């Protein structure tokens, strides 16, 4: 996700944090220290409220991390590739490959909400027990607040709307019942668009009536609507490409360039002759080593073009989508990563035999549409 930085690792997966997370911690701490704790446990000093609210906010972010970690851990146990886990203002996001079966999709989707509900129940019980046994009102209040927050998080995520976990659960159940994954994807994404629109409407009405939290619901609803729309489009694409192999879509032969060339030589000898905006690179042995975006080369100052090798500004092969000619195109598309563009390197053995671009995909979808096989 743009605006995020890597801060560590969880269950063997890179952990990233968006710049909005510190802001979220401050907002949670402010609400807890200025409103909730003084109302629940009056008479304490500002220092006590400040410290307790900071601890509570950090614990809540830890709970969000555990929610996403549950998704990542379950996916890895089910042999699904997990790219990273990112915390941000609207909670968290775990980027992973597509589950191979409906049962696996269900297990991955439900693991997050169950974790939040378990944390919420444990924190709520601990808070009530601590207050009854020791009378420590402020720590008990923080635990009770943490418990209710996690119970709300778990329940909210179970709304039947993709990309929320509840939408993933619905998608998995529909997939299991109908046997049609793309149809289930489209139904879940449509539900997400409806629920997102309702949240935006309710949040805006609440905001106009003087409830500041309504604006938050508007942003959440907008996010759900946009992502659900994107997922619906992806499901339509997968339907159109069903059964098509990578070899049927790839462009070949394709212009390539040596990754040891200077940027100046690469532009003069390779880029000017390429029909694509992204050029695959080959190493000394003739094996693919990555890709370079021509627009990125154009932004490099003229003086540095004589110094830098093109591989120094390229996207390495480890971050590219790579497929064999016999792979299904829909599965190959799932390997695309943000920042690398719509490009699949087609490799047979260790040799590049072609590429699949956005134009190739568009051509196949148009052919599918002309064939009168549009999705329901």
């Amino acid at each position: 996700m743009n605006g995020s930085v890597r801060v560590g690792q969880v269950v063997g997966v890179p952990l990233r944090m968006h710049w909005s997370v510190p802001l979220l911690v401050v907002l949670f701490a402010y609400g807890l220290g200025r409103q909730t704790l003084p109302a629940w446990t009056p008479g304490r000093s500002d220092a006590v409220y400040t410290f307790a609210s900071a601890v509570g906010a950090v614990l809540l972010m830890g709970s969000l991390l555990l929610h996403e970690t549950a998704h990542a851990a379950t996916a890895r146990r089910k042999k699904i590739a997990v790219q990273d886990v990112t915390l941000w203002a609207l909670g968290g996001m775990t980027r992973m490959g597509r589950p191979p079966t409906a049962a696996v999709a269900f297990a991955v989707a439900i693991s997050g909400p169950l974790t939040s509900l378990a944390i919420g129940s444990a924190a709520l019980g601990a808070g009530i027990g601590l207050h009854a046994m020791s009378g420590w009102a402020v720590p008990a209040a923080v635990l009770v607040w943490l418990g209710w927050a996690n119970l709300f998080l778990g329940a909210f995520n179970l709304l039947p709307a993709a990309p929320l976990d509840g939408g993933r659960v619905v998608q998995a159940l529909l997939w299991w019942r109908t046997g049609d994954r793309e149809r289930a994807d489209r139904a879940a994404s449509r539900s997400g668009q409806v629920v997102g629109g309702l949240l935006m409407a309710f949040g805006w009405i609440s905001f106009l009536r003087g409830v500041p939290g309504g604006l938050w619901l508007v942003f959440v609803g907008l996010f759900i609507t946009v992502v659900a729309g994107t997922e619906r489009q992806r499901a339509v694409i997968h339907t159109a490409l069903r059964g098509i192999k990578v070899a049927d879509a790839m462009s070949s032969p394709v212009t390539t360039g040596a990754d040891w060339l200077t940027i100046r030589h690469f532009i003069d000898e390779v880029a000017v002759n390429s029909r694509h905006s992204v050029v695959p690179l080959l190493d000394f042995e003739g094996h693919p080593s990555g890709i370079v975006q021509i627009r990125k080369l154009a932004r490099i100052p003229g003086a540095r073009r004589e110094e830098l090798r093109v591989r120094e500004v390229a996207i390495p092969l480890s971050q590219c989508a790579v497929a064999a000619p016999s792979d299904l195109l829909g599965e190959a598309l799932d390997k695309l990563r943000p920042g690398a563009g719509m490009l699949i390197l087609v490799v047979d053995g260790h040799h590049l035999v072609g590429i699949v671009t956005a134009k190739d995909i568009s051509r196949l979808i148009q052919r599918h549409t002309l064939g009168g096989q549009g999705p329901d």
Side-chain angles (χ1 to χ4, degrees):
M1 177 183 292
N2 293 334
S4 63
V5 295
R6 182 168 177 172
V7 295
Q9 185 171 291
V10 291
V11 294
V13 176
L15 172 63
R16 305 183 65 85
M17 182 176 294
H18 192 253
W19 61 264
S20 58
V21 170
L23 176 62
L24 186 65
V25 171
V26 170
L27 290 176
F28 278 140
Y30 181 85
L32 181 60
R34 292 293 182 179
Q35 300 174 5
T36 305
L37 290 180
W40 288 3
T41 58
R44 272 67 176 183
S45 66
D46 290 341
V48 169
Y49 290 142
T50 300
F51 178 76
S53 63
V55 171
V58 171
L59 288 176
L60 182 57
M61 293 308 303
S63 301
L64 293 175
L65 176 58
L66 289 176
H67 178 112
E68 295 303 321
T69 299
H71 288 308
T74 304
R76 287 182 59 113
R77 282 200 304 270
K78 301 296 184 179
K79 309 302 182 183
I80 300 174
V82 181
Q83 297 176 25
D84 56 38
V85 172
T86 303
L87 294 181
W88 66 307
L90 296 181
M93 179 181 298
T94 301
R95 293 195 302 150
M96 66 183 77
R98 300 185 91 196
T101 66
V104 171
F106 179 85
V108 173
I110 201 66
S111 60
L114 289 182
T115 298
S116 293
L117 293 175
I119 294 173
S121 299
L124 189 59
I128 295 174
L130 182 64
H131 185 268
M133 295 175 60
S134 66
W136 291 355
V138 174
V142 170
L143 287 172
V144 169
W145 173 83
L146 180 67
W148 282 118
N150 274 279
L151 290 175
F152 173 79
L153 175 66
F156 180 80
N157 268 278
L158 285 174
L159 287 175
L164 297 179
D165 297 328
R168 308 293 187 206
V169 170
V170 169
Q171 185 269 347
L173 293 175
L174 289 174
W175 180 10
W176 169 76
R177 183 175 180 180
T178 66
D180 190 332
R181 179 178 194 156
E182 282 71 33
R183 182 179 177 184
D185 286 346
R186 294 196 300 272
S189 61
R190 280 197 298 267
S191 176
Q193 289 176 305
V194 171
V195 171
L198 291 175
L199 286 175
M200 284 192 292
F202 179 75
W204 185 246
I205 292 172
S206 299
F207 180 72
L208 293 178
R209 291 184 174 180
V211 181
L215 200 56
W216 189 262
L217 277 182
V218 172
F219 287 124
V220 172
L222 179 62
F223 169 76
I224 292 174
T225 301
V226 171
V227 176
T230 301
E231 294 196 357
R232 176 169 169 75
Q233 184 62 33
R234 185 182 299 123
V236 170
I237 291 175
H238 275 278
T239 299
L241 302 180
R242 183 181 295 172
I244 296 177
K245 294 184 177 180
V246 171
D248 300 325
M250 71 180 186
S251 298
S252 181
V254 59
T255 300
T256 61
D259 64 3
W260 65 86
L261 292 176
T262 64
I263 292 176
R264 172 68 67 189
H265 286 155
F266 187 89
I267 291 175
D268 293 341
E269 299 175 11
V270 181
V272 293
N273 299 317
S274 176
R275 296 183 293 108
H276 301 105
S277 60
V278 178
V279 179
L281 301 177
L282 304 180
D283 60 18
F284 279 110
E285 298 178 349
H287 300 159
S289 62
I291 59 176
V292 65
Q293 298 167 324
I294 293 179
R295 60 179 173 82
K296 188 171 184 178
L297 298 179
R299 292 199 297 263
I300 298 176
R304 299 210 64 199
R305 294 180 183 183
E306 302 289 352
E307 307 169 358
L308 290 174
R309 304 287 177 178
V310 69
R311 60 172 169 249
E312 298 178 60
V313 296
I315 298 173
L317 188 65
S318 60
Q319 297 179 22
C320 299
V322 179
S326 59
D327 290 347
L328 290 175
L329 184 55
E331 295 178 358
L333 287 175
D334 292 334
K335 300 177 182 179
L336 291 172
R337 298 190 179 187
M342 175 70 84
L343 182 77
I344 300 171
L345 298 177
V346 187
V347 178
D348 189 3
H350 294 291
H351 299 286
L352 184 74
V353 295
I355 60 173
V356 179
T357 67
K359 288 183 179 180
D360 297 321
I361 302 298
S362 177
R363 172 174 51 83
L364 288 173
I365 293 175
Q366 289 174 2
R367 183 188 303 171
H368 173 86
T369 303
L370 290 174
Q373 301 175 10
D376 56 17

